[in-house]
Amino acid sequence: RCPGYIATHISETDDGFAASLKLNGQPCNKYGQDIASLTLSVRFDTSDRLHVHISDTEKTQYQIPQWIVPLDKGLGVDKRHHSLEFTHAHNETSGFGFKVQRDGEAIFDTTGHVLVFEDQYLELTSNVAADANIYGLGESPNWFRRNPDNTTITLWNRDVADPFGENVYGSHAVYMELQSKSAKFHGCYLHNSHGMDVVLAPGTVQYRVLGGTLDLYIFGGPTALDVIDQYTQLVGRPACIPYWALGFHNCRYGYTSVDEVNQVIANYSRARIPLEAAWTDIEYMDKTRDFTFDAVNYPVSEMKKQLDALHARGQKMVLITDPAIHVDDAYGTFVRGRDQDVFIKNADGSLYVGQVWPGYTVFPDWFAANTSEWWSDELQRYFDMLPIDGMWIDMNEPASFCTGSCGSNRPMNEEPTPPWLSTAPHRFINKTNRMLVPPYAINNHELELSDKT
């Protein structure tokens, strides 16, 4: 059994609380190395948002930089005038725990549960109602109200065809809960980019995280709309969508030519079905390469005619883009990106080469110095050919059909066998690589973390 922590050096301010957390016994090293010294920081950011951060004192654990995901810090408010109340307690068996209450009702309560904080495993458990009404924790095809009876929700971006109850394309570690007694909502967001399982069981919600820190934001609601407002005040408001995006759109994989798409558009008019926008999948591209057009089946001249016809009727055109760039010395987008050093690399400095629709592909490193400028230039070249109305961004988990840098040291322009046609076995699983095969295996339904992403 893990020992938990004990709070020491406690201090209070008008808008918060701070303490040191020390390991309360011998380390258990459950799925990694227990970290002996932690720092607890509590701040009442706004009148209805509380920030609770448990981090390693030496600050070696990864935290999401503010410049990558800018969070609203709030002005800080006097806790005496806050809608939420923070308290902490020590249990002889489980050690340190804390409770957040609203009008005397607990909305986040870790008391009675052991806190585990290791280099590659964090575990935090909160008490909830036995039949809790919990919503969120996407992205997973599942029931709107999450099943509170022994359900594991995994957050790890993965390119799969929407299997029910499994992790898919995005990760949003935020939920809201409707309290049955008070009929009020509250919310909780964990600001952590590591893979994780969130386990719902009768009476508890438990985070099992592969690293980082426990950076929690608790929202007081009390309505569902209030929680959404408080959450987006923290992480940023969604962009306002164009009015036409709310209409009826047509999209399908498999159209063989611009003429076929034109026929589909015309059929909407014949059937007197309003159509706001026509979307086209990767078939329009030359060999499925970004920012290109199939000269035979989707020539630019005919695509321009389609765009003009759509605009004449007040309709819009949306085309797909997959941010995976084909490795080909004759492909300008790849050559310009390679020359500007914008692609993700392996540890040895070589290009990380995965596999997507065109074959072997590289992926933009959005943190590299020149990437935004390169990408903007490629988009401008694309729009100069065809000034479309919208882009459908796909496969940007990022997704790859193979595991790891499967295209490294392969001949330029080689066309690999698509994985759904290949009989090749999975690569050797190096279980000593604790990054790809961590000691705690989240419920990812893959052999290693690099599969399907």
Side-chain angles (χ1 to χ4, degrees):
R1 182 181 177 86
C2 294
Y5 288 81
I6 185 170
T8 64
H9 300 95
I10 298 168
S11 62
E12 295 196 35
T13 62
D14 288 343
D15 65 354
F17 175 93
S20 297
L21 300 180
K22 302 299 182 184
L23 204 60
N24 191 33
Q26 292 299 312
C28 65
N29 299 328
K30 191 173 183 179
Y31 293 107
Q33 299 296 315
D34 283 79
I35 296 178
S37 178
L38 306 178
T39 298
L40 169 67
S41 172
V42 178
R43 183 172 185 263
F44 294 85
D45 286 350
T46 69
S47 61
D48 43 32
R49 184 179 82 217
L50 177 65
H51 182 197
V52 180
H53 191 194
I54 301 175
S55 60
D56 59 311
T57 303
E58 294 186 358
K59 299 186 181 302
T60 59
Q61 295 286 99
Y62 178 78
Q63 297 183 40
I64 303 172
Q66 175 75 3
W67 65 269
I68 294 179
V69 182
L71 297 181
D72 173 72
K73 297 298 185 181
L75 297 176
V77 298
D78 191 317
K79 56 179 174 286
R80 294 172 297 178
H81 307 300
H82 201 276
S83 63
L84 304 178
E85 178 186 4
F86 177 90
T87 58
H88 67 96
H90 181 82
N91 180 287
E92 290 300 324
T93 303
S94 58
F96 167 82
F98 68 89
K99 181 186 296 186
V100 179
Q101 295 175 284
R102 178 190 53 204
D103 299 328
E105 183 177 45
I107 62 174
F108 201 91
D109 178 11
T110 74
T111 58
H113 301 284
V114 174
L115 166 66
V116 181
F117 200 113
E118 299 176 348
D119 56 349
Q120 281 195 271
Y121 183 75
L122 314 179
E123 183 177 296
L124 183 71
T125 308
S126 176
N127 298 308
V128 295
D131 194 29
N133 301 300
I134 291 177
Y135 307 87
L137 298 172
E139 184 177 6
S140 174
N142 214 316
W143 304 113
F144 180 55
R145 174 181 178 262
R146 299 309 195 194
N147 184 353
D149 187 12
N150 298 315
T151 297
T152 298
I153 301 169
T154 300
L155 303 185
W156 181 254
N157 295 11
R158 172 171 165 251
D159 178 35
V160 286
D162 298 338
F164 185 81
E166 297 182 13
N167 53 305
V168 288
Y169 308 106
S171 298
H172 302 275
V174 59
Y175 72 83
M176 67 170 67
E177 181 185 358
L178 172 61
Q179 299 269 24
S180 297
K181 291 183 179 180
S182 64
K184 293 180 179 180
F185 283 90
H186 64 270
C188 183
Y189 168 59
L190 176 60
H191 189 56
N192 186 305
S193 59
H194 290 74
M196 70 182 76
D197 287 335
V198 183
V199 182
L200 307 182
T204 60
V205 55
Q206 183 179 80
Y207 295 92
R208 302 174 183 175
V209 192
L210 294 182
T213 66
L214 294 168
D215 197 1
L216 289 162
Y217 292 85
I218 299 169
F219 312 106
T223 70
L225 186 58
D226 289 333
V227 173
I228 294 169
D229 180 62
Q230 292 152 14
Y231 171 61
T232 57
Q233 180 187 23
L234 172 69
V235 301
R237 307 295 191 190
C240 184
I241 62 174
Y243 183 68
W244 60 264
L246 300 174
F248 194 88
H249 295 219
N250 180 82
C251 176
R252 199 199 74 176
Y253 174 76
Y255 292 131
T256 59
S257 68
V258 64
D259 293 332
E260 186 177 6
V261 177
N262 286 335
Q263 188 63 50
V264 170
I265 295 170
N267 286 342
Y268 274 90
S269 297
R270 291 191 185 96
R272 302 180 64 83
I273 300 174
L275 180 68
E276 289 291 338
W279 296 42
T280 304
D281 211 314
I282 57 176
E283 294 85 8
Y284 81 87
M285 301 178 186
D286 176 25
K287 300 177 182 177
T288 64
R289 296 181 298 188
D290 283 340
F291 313 129
T292 67
F293 295 88
D294 182 333
V296 175
N297 297 308
Y298 289 88
V300 174
S301 59
E302 294 302 311
M303 294 292 285
K304 286 181 178 178
K305 292 178 183 178
Q306 183 185 97
L307 180 63
D308 290 342
L310 287 167
H311 285 176
R313 296 189 293 270
Q315 298 167 313
K316 308 295 182 180
M317 175 187 283
V318 179
L319 300 183
I320 195 170
T321 298
D322 297 337
I325 305 302
H326 190 207
V327 177
D328 184 347
D329 274 340
Y331 176 36
T333 297
F334 167 72
V335 173
R336 288 186 289 271
R338 181 190 58 191
D339 292 347
Q340 295 178 62
D341 195 23
V342 304
F343 299 125
I344 293 174
K345 296 179 180 179
N346 291 304
D348 64 3
S350 63
L351 291 178
Y352 182 99
V353 184
Q355 180 186 352
V356 189
W357 295 111
Y360 289 129
T361 54
V362 288
F363 305 91
D365 178 355
W366 300 108
F367 302 129
N370 300 323
T371 306
S372 293
E373 181 179 353
W374 162 79
W375 186 252
S376 296
D377 179 65
E378 297 302 321
L379 289 177
Q380 189 61 60
R381 292 169 184 264
Y382 180 49
F383 296 151
D384 287 345
M385 289 189 287
L386 189 69
I388 60 176
D389 302 293
M391 292 179 66
W392 167 14
I393 308 299
D394 190 31
M395 308 284 286
N396 64 323
E397 288 74 28
S400 179
F401 296 154
C402 68
T403 301
S405 189
C406 61
S408 291
N409 303 315
R410 304 298 301 175
M412 180 75 73
N413 307 331
E414 178 183 338
E415 295 187 10
T417 303
W420 51 90
L421 299 177
S422 174
T423 58
H426 192 281
R427 72 177 185 180
F428 171 74
I429 299 175
N430 180 7
K431 293 187 177 181
T432 64
N433 187 329
R434 293 166 62 95
M435 295 298 293
L436 298 179
V437 189
Y440 174 74
I442 58 174
N443 194 34
N444 185 42
H445 296 276
E446 305 294 344
L447 294 175
E448 58 178 272
L449 293 180
S450 284
D451 292 342
K452 306 288 186 174
T453 191

